[in-house]
Amino acid sequence: MRIHRLDIEAFGPFATPQHIDFDQLSAQGLFLLNGATGAGKTSILDAICFALYGAVPGARQEGKRLRSDHAAPGAEPRVVCEFSARGRRFEVTRSPAWDRPSARGRNGFTTQQAKTLLRERVNGTWEEKSSRNDEVGAELSDVLGMDREQFTRVVMLPQGDFAAFLRSKAGDRLELLQKLFGTQRFESVERHLAQQAAVAAGAVQENTAELTMLLDRVAAERQQLDDHQAAPGDSAGTAATITAGQEPEEWLAEAEAEVVAVWQRRQDEATEAESAAARLAGKFQEAQEKALRHGRLGAAMQRRILLELAAPRAHENRERLSRHRRAAVLSGQLEAVDAAARKLQAATALAAGIRSTMDEAGVNPVNPTASLEVVKASCAVLEARLPDEQRLDGLATRMVAKRAESAEHAAASEAARSALEKLREEVATVESHIGPLEPVAEKLSELEREAAAATELVGIVGRYAAAADDLEDITGKHLQARSASQDVRQQWLDIRELRLANAAGELAAALEDGVPCAVCGSEDHPNPAAAVRSALSLAQEEEELKERFDATERAVGELAGQVSEAAQVLAGLKAQGGSADAAEAESKRADAQQALSAARKTAASLETLRSRQQSLAQRIDLVEEELSGSLANAAQASSEVSLLEEQHADLEKELAGLRGGFPSLRERLDALSAERTLLQAATDAERNVESAVQAQEDAIASLGRVLPESGFGSAEEARRELLPPADVVGLEKDLADFDAESSRLDELFAGEDLVLAAKEVSIGELPLPDTELAGVKLLAADAADKARAAALAAGLAGKSSEAVSRFRKAYIELADAGKEPRNKARLLAELADTVRGSGDNSYRMSLNTYVLAGRLEQVAIAASERLVAMSDGRYTLQHTDAKAARGAKSGLGLEVVDEWTGQRRDTSTLSGGESFMASLSLALGLADVVQQEAGGVDIETLFVDEGFGSLDEQALEQVMDALEGLRDGGRVVGLVSHVAEMKQRITSQVQVVKGRHGSTVRIAELVPA
């Protein structure tokens, strides 16, 4: 980047607008920025940094006021910098935050926020880019390619910091070089390779885990087939089963062969066990069947004996049951005769009881049936009219309620009418009070503003009086100090004149005859001057008076600043009206407060009255609605009462004839219902008696017809042979059991098993004893358990054989598939470690550091070209990638080569002047390399702030020769210094002149001496 123009106003020590044309200075390629100490040389560099980054360099940023104390109170601090970078031309204008005098601001000042404006020159015209601080900062950072810290290290080397890069640590160099050369892409390559290596390692780990799982499963299958099972928790893992140096594929083949051999052996054992179990099972089954046959034969013989003993009792029961069955044929007729007699007796008793009840009730008709029909008809008529009587009662109740409702509505309408009249009178009263208060309340806002202004004016008048007193006091002190300073100045000038006048006498005292005069060169001294006092005493007195004058001038300057500040405060207060009469201002404040208090009371009363008016209006609306509703409800209730009275009279006339002397239809109906019940009971009783007599006669006739055929002489004889149902059931069951047992025994003895058992008994072939049979059974069961265990073991061995074969095949396929990912992961891991600076990388130098080390090597070469010239061929800078101590990362080291001794040493061993030359050369070399780097920062303007005072005359001459050589490359270097030799050597200068009212800047083109 190249700076073209800089405008400064009210910034730092510059009170008035200053303009610096760097294009004019750049014509020589080298210019000097000089001036007295404290004049503001470094402030020009601060202005450039502030324009580009919104802050000044280094520690000067903290606590420093950027606005000039010498500027007029209303002058806005401003810096304008025009520069070009990356083929584009920009103009940036910045103003820091400052306090502007204001009549309304707190303490007389208003804080103005910082402002920024960025413009770009496009096609010969300036176009505005942005006026937001953040947007301008982002745009400039992108264009310049450096932040403020890097800018001050590479482009603008401030006091005490220009050797920081030379002595900085490798980490600090890495950060700066990376930002300047834009090597972040190499860090991205490092991260990308690390990510790829991690992904590849994860795939290998997954493949290894799957292979290990397959080996573990084969080991588990193999362990299950072990003839000698280990205790729970003692099973060995896969790593213990594979011997040292043995390949997993070889171990898998051995395991598969072993499992297949075990499977075949267990199959043979299962076949032999199954054959032995079948043989013993057949032997046991044959002995068991023979024992069962003989057991069944013995049981059948015992049952036959018992059946023969029970035969006589069965014959007797069979005869008894036969007689009962013949009598049971007549049981229906006998029961019918007995039932008809009981029914006739009950019907006769019931009829007699009903007659007695009717006599007691006074009901004794000649024909109960006819009387019953008449009573039923009357009841039907009365039941049909019962709802009419209930409706009559409802009409009476509704009439009473409607009369009360009508009276209530009438009273409510009268009350609403009276309340409405009172509310209307109250509304009229409130409205009469509101009218006079409204004009007063409308002026409340205006009175509040007037009262606030009057109160503020009283405070301003008080502060103005105090400020005027302070100004008068400080002004008096300033005048006294100025007068005293002028007196001291006059004394100093007098003694100075005396010393100059006495100089001729001092020279005359040293003249000798025949010796040339040091002033005119003559050997004759006709009239030498006489000395008044000694030169030493005059010089001492002059120095003392000069120091006193300087002290008084500083005091005067401080008091002048206080006078200016007090005058600014007083002017601000006067602009706000502070010069007004204090009593008048206090009187106005009291009047305004009193008027405001009265207006507030009036406004509060008005607000209360308006609220009351609104409330009364709402109540009037409600009361009017109530009055209208009450009148309508009263009229409707009166009409309903008249209609109900007419309906009640008509219905009462209709029901009077039906009551028959009873108070109500319900009471007459209850009486008729009781009479109907008695008549119905009497009629039913007579019918029941007649039916019972007829049934008894029919039952006796039916028994007489069937009795001769049953073999019994009378009905009583038949009743004696009848048995209870339980006895009949018992006899039938005993006979059925006897017959069934006889049939079963016949079938049992005819069966093949009993016939065979009888034959075996006849020839003496008896079954085995129980103890021998139990032994045979135990042998058969043991053989069967062994056969099942052998079959299960063979089945498990077969499944294990299939599983091991499947696992071995899967292992071989998975191992083949994992070879390429393993090779890739190993290659990526080694590559990632190398570019990260670990692994076999003994220098611990990352790819990014390696690239920057190459750039630093270029910087060292470029810097050495200038350092050789500056150091009279003694020193060069050399990049070193030697291993750092204690395993630290290497690659960004710098060392100085002493060509006179051939030794290399650290840059920290250089002296002050040597360190300045080395760091200046390094900064210039860094600018050269950055500018040459594709896409790097183009640095065409470079500032060096102080440091030349540490050089001797010869070294300064060599440095100046090297700096003047920069003109060939088109670069412009500004040197900030007040060294006298440099003022004579560099003709293009920016001179900063210090004055009591601020510094000024001027560009001078001097003619070489």
Side-chain angles (χ1 to χ4, degrees):
M1 57 88 69
R2 177 185 291 271
I3 300 176
H4 302 285
R5 173 175 57 92
L6 181 66
D7 294 331
I8 309 174
E9 180 180 359
F11 183 89
F14 306 106
T16 58
Q18 305 296 318
H19 173 76
I20 302 175
D21 188 353
F22 284 97
D23 287 339
Q24 178 183 351
L25 296 171
S26 301
Q28 300 296 328
L30 187 68
F31 66 90
L32 180 67
L33 183 60
N34 67 74
T37 301
K41 301 186 297 296
T42 305
S43 296
I44 294 178
L45 305 184
D46 291 347
I48 295 174
C49 190
F50 176 76
L52 297 178
Y53 295 98
V56 297
R60 299 199 297 277
Q61 172 66 22
E62 300 180 2
K64 182 174 181 180
R65 293 179 56 189
L66 299 181
R67 187 181 183 278
S68 176
D69 295 331
H70 301 283
E76 179 184 12
R78 186 173 64 97
V79 176
V80 181
C81 181
E82 182 180 347
F83 67 96
S84 58
R86 301 183 186 274
R88 302 165 65 185
R89 192 152 181 158
F90 296 91
E91 179 193 78
V92 57
T93 303
R94 288 189 190 267
S95 295
W98 65 291
D99 293 334
R100 178 177 60 82
S102 173
R104 297 183 180 181
R106 181 179 299 177
N107 298 325
F109 293 93
T110 299
T111 300
Q112 299 294 310
Q113 300 299 324
K115 295 188 297 184
T116 305
L117 175 63
L118 178 65
R119 299 194 303 170
E120 182 178 3
R121 192 170 184 84
V122 180
N123 298 326
T125 59
W126 289 104
E127 295 183 0
E128 182 175 333
K129 298 285 290 183
S130 176
S131 60
R132 291 184 52 179
N133 293 330
D134 55 347
E135 291 181 355
V136 172
E139 180 75 15
L140 291 180
S141 296
D142 183 61
V143 171
L144 297 175
M146 293 180 288
D147 59 17
R148 180 173 62 89
E149 185 70 18
Q150 295 161 344
F151 181 82
T152 57
R153 285 188 175 185
V154 177
V155 178
M156 184 181 295
L157 303 177
Q159 292 180 2
D161 291 341
F162 66 92
F165 182 81
L166 179 68
R167 299 174 178 174
S168 62
K169 297 180 180 179
D172 297 333
R173 290 174 183 161
L174 174 66
E175 181 181 356
L176 176 61
L177 292 173
Q178 180 173 327
K179 188 66 179 288
L180 290 175
F181 293 107
T183 59
Q184 293 85 351
R185 61 186 182 277
F186 296 104
E187 285 190 345
S188 300
V189 171
E190 295 176 16
R191 291 193 297 270
H192 182 66
L193 288 175
Q195 293 174 357
Q196 284 189 330
V199 172
V204 171
Q205 290 178 356
E206 292 180 2
N207 182 267
T208 302
E210 293 177 0
L211 292 175
T212 303
M213 180 186 67
L214 291 174
L215 292 175
D216 290 340
R217 296 182 69 176
V218 170
E221 294 292 341
R222 188 179 184 184
Q223 184 67 25
Q224 289 179 359
L225 298 180
D226 194 357
D227 293 334
H228 304 286
Q229 295 291 336
D234 294 340
S235 60
T238 304
T241 60
I242 300 178
T243 60
Q246 187 179 21
E247 294 295 330
E249 291 82 356
E250 182 182 354
W251 179 84
L252 286 172
E254 293 178 359
E256 182 180 7
E258 180 181 349
V259 171
V260 171
V262 171
W263 175 39
Q264 293 175 352
R265 176 173 55 80
R266 291 187 179 182
Q267 279 185 323
D268 296 339
E269 292 175 353
T271 302
E272 294 177 1
E274 184 178 1
S275 176
R279 184 173 64 256
L280 289 174
K283 181 178 179 181
F284 170 70
Q285 183 178 4
E286 181 180 353
Q288 188 179 34
E289 290 177 355
K290 186 174 183 179
L292 290 176
R293 285 197 302 271
H294 286 269
R296 286 196 294 270
L297 178 61
M301 294 297 294
Q302 292 179 359
R303 288 171 61 185
R304 174 174 286 181
I305 294 172
L306 293 176
L307 184 64
E308 292 176 353
L309 294 175
R313 179 64 181 272
H315 179 71
E316 180 181 353
N317 290 338
R318 199 182 303 277
E319 290 295 330
R320 185 180 177 188
L321 187 59
S322 176
R323 292 194 299 272
H324 164 75
R325 288 173 177 168
R326 285 189 292 111
V329 175
L330 303 176
S331 61
Q333 286 78 6
L334 293 174
E335 182 61 30
V337 171
D338 295 340
R342 290 192 299 272
K343 185 176 180 181
L344 176 60
Q345 184 178 1
T348 303
L350 179 60
I354 291 174
R355 284 290 181 180
S356 175
T357 301
M358 293 177 64
D359 292 341
E360 293 175 358
V363 180
N364 192 10
V366 178
N367 188 354
T369 302
S371 299
L372 177 61
E373 295 300 327
V374 174
V375 171
K376 285 182 178 181
S378 299
C379 287
V381 174
L382 293 176
E383 287 177 353
R385 298 306 299 269
L386 280 177
D388 292 338
E389 190 172 51
Q390 293 177 356
R391 188 161 62 87
L392 181 64
D393 294 339
L395 289 173
T397 302
R398 290 172 61 191
M399 282 192 300
V400 173
K402 285 298 178 182
R403 288 192 185 102
E405 182 180 350
S406 178
E408 181 179 352
H409 288 313
S413 62
E414 288 300 325
R417 189 177 288 106
S418 176
L420 185 61
E421 293 177 357
K422 292 181 180 179
L423 289 173
R424 287 173 177 168
E425 293 175 357
E426 189 173 354
V427 167
T429 302
V430 171
E431 290 177 349
S432 65
H433 289 86
I434 288 177
L437 299 180
E438 288 181 341
V440 179
E442 291 176 354
K443 299 180 179 179
L444 178 59
S445 300
E446 182 179 354
L447 291 174
E448 288 178 345
R449 291 193 297 271
E450 292 177 356
T455 301
E456 184 179 3
L457 180 60
V458 170
I460 292 174
V461 169
R463 295 199 303 274
Y464 178 81
D469 294 340
D470 293 342
L471 178 60
E472 183 178 359
D473 184 32
I474 296 172
T475 302
K477 293 179 180 180
H478 177 259
L479 292 176
Q480 292 177 2
R482 169 57 62 189
S483 178
S485 177
Q486 293 298 328
D487 293 342
V488 174
R489 181 175 182 274
Q490 188 61 44
Q491 294 175 11
W492 169 56
L493 293 177
D494 291 344
I495 198 66
R496 184 178 181 184
E497 288 293 330
L498 180 60
R499 187 177 67 82
L500 292 176
N502 197 50
E506 294 176 3
L507 291 174
L511 293 176
E512 296 180 5
D513 293 335
V515 178
C517 175
V519 178
C520 64
S522 175
E523 296 180 355
D524 297 329
H525 316 296
N527 189 19
V532 180
R533 295 171 56 184
S534 68
L536 180 60
S537 62
L538 288 174
Q540 289 178 349
E541 187 175 356
E542 181 186 3
E543 183 66 25
E544 291 175 357
L545 288 174
K546 176 65 169 61
E547 291 178 356
R548 286 179 58 192
F549 173 67
D550 291 340
T552 57
E553 276 296 297
R554 287 193 296 272
V556 169
E558 292 178 358
L559 290 172
Q562 296 177 7
V563 169
S564 176
E565 185 176 354
Q568 291 180 6
V569 173
L570 187 64
L573 293 174
K574 184 176 181 180
Q576 300 177 46
S579 60
D581 183 72
E584 183 180 354
E586 182 62 31
S587 176
K588 288 182 180 180
R589 185 188 67 80
D591 295 342
Q593 290 290 345
Q594 184 177 0
L596 176 61
S597 178
R600 285 175 175 171
K601 292 180 180 179
T602 301
S605 301
L606 179 61
E607 185 65 24
T608 302
L609 290 173
R610 284 177 176 171
S611 177
R612 179 62 179 167
Q613 181 187 22
Q614 185 178 3
S615 176
L616 290 174
Q618 294 176 352
R619 289 180 59 189
I620 287 174
D621 293 339
L622 294 176
V623 172
E624 287 179 348
E625 292 180 0
E626 292 177 359
L627 177 60
S628 177
S630 298
L631 292 175
N633 292 334
Q636 183 177 359
S638 177
S639 175
E640 291 179 354
V641 166
S642 299
L643 180 61
L644 290 173
E645 289 177 348
E646 181 179 355
Q647 293 177 355
H648 184 273
D650 294 342
L651 188 58
E652 177 65 25
K653 184 177 180 180
E654 292 179 3
L655 298 179
L658 295 175
R659 293 193 183 101
F662 286 90
S664 64
L665 294 180
R666 170 57 64 187
E667 292 182 6
R668 186 184 178 195
L669 180 60
D670 291 343
L672 289 177
S673 297
E675 183 178 355
R676 182 182 60 184
T677 301
L678 292 174
L679 291 173
Q680 183 66 48
T683 302
D684 293 341
E686 289 180 358
R687 291 176 181 171
N688 289 338
V689 170
E690 293 176 358
S691 176
V693 170
Q694 183 62 40
Q696 184 180 30
E697 293 176 353
D698 293 342
I700 294 173
S702 176
L703 179 60
R705 287 194 294 271
V706 298
L707 187 59
E709 300 176 357
S710 62
F712 295 103
S714 64
E716 293 300 327
E717 183 180 355
R719 284 192 177 92
R720 285 195 298 272
E721 294 298 334
L722 289 173
L723 298 173
D727 294 345
V728 174
V729 173
L731 292 174
E732 290 178 346
K733 183 178 181 306
D734 291 343
L735 291 175
D737 292 342
F738 180 81
D739 294 338
E741 179 67 12
S742 177
S743 300
R744 284 195 292 270
L745 287 175
D746 293 340
E747 294 177 359
L748 189 59
F749 279 101
E752 182 178 355
D753 288 347
L754 293 188
V755 172
L756 178 58
K759 182 178 180 182
E760 289 173 346
V761 169
S762 63
I763 62 178
E765 292 184 3
L766 299 178
L768 294 174
D770 292 341
T771 55
E772 295 182 9
L773 184 62
V776 174
K777 180 180 180 181
L778 184 60
L779 292 175
D782 184 57
D785 292 340
K786 291 181 179 179
R788 284 193 296 271
L792 178 60
L796 292 175
K799 292 182 178 179
S800 296
S801 176
E802 295 177 0
V804 169
S805 299
R806 186 171 65 254
F807 295 155
R808 180 191 176 195
K809 181 180 180 182
Y811 184 92
I812 294 173
E813 294 175 354
L814 192 60
D816 292 339
K819 289 181 180 178
E820 183 177 353
R822 288 179 187 278
N823 295 333
K824 180 180 178 182
R826 182 171 58 257
L827 177 61
L828 287 174
E830 293 174 355
L831 182 58
D833 289 341
T834 300
V835 300
R836 190 171 58 247
S838 59
D840 294 335
N841 191 337
S842 59
Y843 283 87
R844 297 181 55 79
M845 187 186 304
S846 66
L847 176 62
N848 184 44
T849 306
Y850 177 78
V851 174
L852 292 178
R855 298 292 185 269
L856 183 58
E857 185 175 3
Q858 296 175 3
V859 171
I861 294 173
S864 296
E865 294 178 1
R866 293 181 173 85
L867 184 58
V868 167
M870 293 181 186
S871 63
D872 197 16
R874 180 177 182 180
Y875 295 117
T876 59
L877 287 174
Q878 181 172 332
H879 162 258
T880 175
D881 56 1
K883 291 185 179 179
R886 293 183 294 276
K889 292 187 176 181
S890 309
L892 296 180
L894 277 177
E895 58 186 8
V896 176
V897 180
D898 190 341
E899 299 295 341
W900 291 1
T901 63
Q903 298 296 320
R904 293 188 178 95
R905 51 195 175 102
D906 191 80
T907 55
S908 61
T909 62
L910 294 173
S911 65
E914 293 171 343
S915 178
F916 170 74
M917 290 188 294
S919 59
L920 180 59
S921 300
L922 185 62
L924 296 175
L926 179 63
D928 288 339
V929 175
V930 171
Q931 183 174 357
Q932 295 170 5
E933 176 69 18
V937 181
D938 185 12
I939 302 175
E940 298 182 16
T941 303
L942 182 68
F943 293 92
V944 180
D945 188 359
E946 288 296 352
F948 297 95
S950 61
L951 303 177
D952 57 26
E953 183 177 355
Q954 182 181 359
L956 180 60
E957 183 70 20
Q958 295 168 348
V959 169
M960 291 302 300
D961 290 340
L963 291 176
E964 289 178 352
L966 296 174
R967 301 173 181 179
D968 298 337
R971 183 178 290 107
V972 179
V973 178
L975 305 180
V976 183
S977 179
H978 47 64
V979 176
E981 291 82 355
M982 298 186 68
K983 295 180 183 179
Q984 298 174 3
R985 181 71 176 268
I986 302 175
T987 60
S988 182
Q989 298 181 6
V990 177
Q991 298 177 351
V992 183
V993 181
K994 180 173 64 174
R996 293 182 55 192
H997 301 292
S999 299
T1000 58
V1001 177
R1002 65 186 180 189
I1003 298 178
E1005 294 289 342
L1006 304 180
V1007 178

